[in-house]
Amino acid sequence: MLKINNKIVKGTILDMDGVLWRGDELLCDLPALFKSFHDHHIQVSLATNNGLRTVDDYVRRFKGFGVTVEPSHIITSAIAIAALVKKDFPQGGPVHIMGEKALFETMQQNGFYHSDTDPQAVVAGLTKSFTYNMIKDASLAIQKGLPFYFTNPDPTYPSPEGIIPGAGTVLAALETASGVKATLAGKPLPFSFEVAMDVLKTQPDETLVIGDRLSTDIRGGQDAGCLTALVLTGISTIEDYNNWEPKPDLLLNTITDLFNA
């Protein structure tokens, strides 16, 4: 049993980039960490703003590290935005998609397909093959009045090379070019947290959100009414923590400190 502020933790919403790994570099003993969650009777959901990988990609990645993860317990920003668009367009259909393969596949699994012939909406996210023509085509479609959805606002994310441009960099370009603000689904918006707690079947006051970025993981967790823990292995620093209010419930040097303490 893990208790924080006299509240028993029954589930955790765990970020991955900057918490479990940085690129291909592991930041903890992953099998030992998941055994600790199991031994403390804590269900684990994995929520990430990274929309570059599919759920199957993540399942395979965890398996390669010696951990078995249920696909339904993985929530990416691509899954969150697809679910949000599905709420608005339950019949599916044509949309203009700008992003990586994972976004195209996730939208397709929800009944949508990429088309520039009478699309119903523009759905975009981070793409590493970012070009001027991509921005031009998407922004022109948005300016025609199409609803504009974007995966998440993270301006950067951690890598072995350092802090590199994230989805928010592309978002800024699209919003600048079109003059329209996007509808977002990833953290810190509540949608990802609600989906995760529905999977975990936990209430906010018994759910611990663990992440490395104050502006998304911690803010989103706090807004959702969850317990929160900041890990100092990713984006946010101790200086950021000192200037942040309200403080997260826990401050951890690494994710393993959650149980070592």
Side-chain angles (χ1 to χ4, degrees), residues 1-2 4 9-15 19-20 28-46 67 208-210 252 255-256 258-259:
M1 183 176 68
L2 179 66
I4 299 172
V9 177
K10 295 183 180 179
T12 183
I13 301 173
L14 191 61
D15 189 29
V19 175
L20 302 181
C28 64
D29 183 334
L30 212 53
L33 175 67
F34 274 74
K35 183 178 185 302
S36 293
F37 280 121
H38 179 268
D39 291 346
H40 286 79
H41 307 289
I42 298 172
Q43 292 282 332
V44 178
S45 175
L46 299 138
V67 175
L208 175 64
V209 174
I210 305 175
L252 308 171
I255 182 63
T256 52
L258 178 65
F259 298 108

Side-chain angles (χ1 to χ4, degrees), residues 16-164:
M16 292 183 269
D17 295 299
V19 175
L20 302 181
W21 52 62
R22 187 186 295 113
D24 292 326
E25 172 194 355
L26 277 180
L27 297 172
C28 64
D29 183 334
L30 212 53
L33 175 67
F34 274 74
K35 183 178 185 302
S36 293
F37 280 121
H38 179 268
D39 291 346
H40 286 79
H41 307 289
I42 298 172
Q43 292 282 332
V44 178
S45 175
L46 299 138
T48 177
N49 271 352
N50 189 333
L52 299 178
R53 292 189 174 96
T54 65
V55 168
D56 288 342
D57 290 336
Y58 278 112
V59 169
R60 285 193 294 269
R61 187 166 217 216
F62 275 101
K63 188 174 182 180
F65 290 135
V67 175
T68 299
V69 175
E70 290 294 324
S72 63
H73 284 232
I74 298 173
I75 297 121
T76 68
S77 60
I79 289 173
I81 202 67
L84 187 57
V85 177
K86 187 74 170 179
K87 285 178 67 177
D88 293 341
F89 298 94
Q91 78 283 3
V95 292
H96 179 97
I97 304 172
M98 179 185 136
E100 290 287 333
K101 180 182 177 183
L103 182 58
F104 281 81
E105 290 184 1
T106 304
M107 293 301 296
Q108 186 174 36
Q109 289 163 6
N110 283 269
F112 297 94
Y113 59 91
H114 174 74
S115 175
D116 287 323
T117 304
D118 297 323
Q120 304 168 96
V122 174
V123 183
L126 175 62
T127 170
K128 292 184 176 179
S129 56
F130 181 80
T131 67
Y132 176 84
N133 282 336
M134 282 184 179
I135 293 294
K136 181 193 74 175
D137 292 344
S139 65
L140 286 172
I142 295 165
Q143 289 174 70
K144 291 177 181 176
L146 295 182
F148 172 29
Y149 299 87
F150 200 89
T151 53
N152 72 89
D154 285 4
T156 58
Y157 66 96
S159 79
E161 300 169 90
I163 307 303
I164 60 177

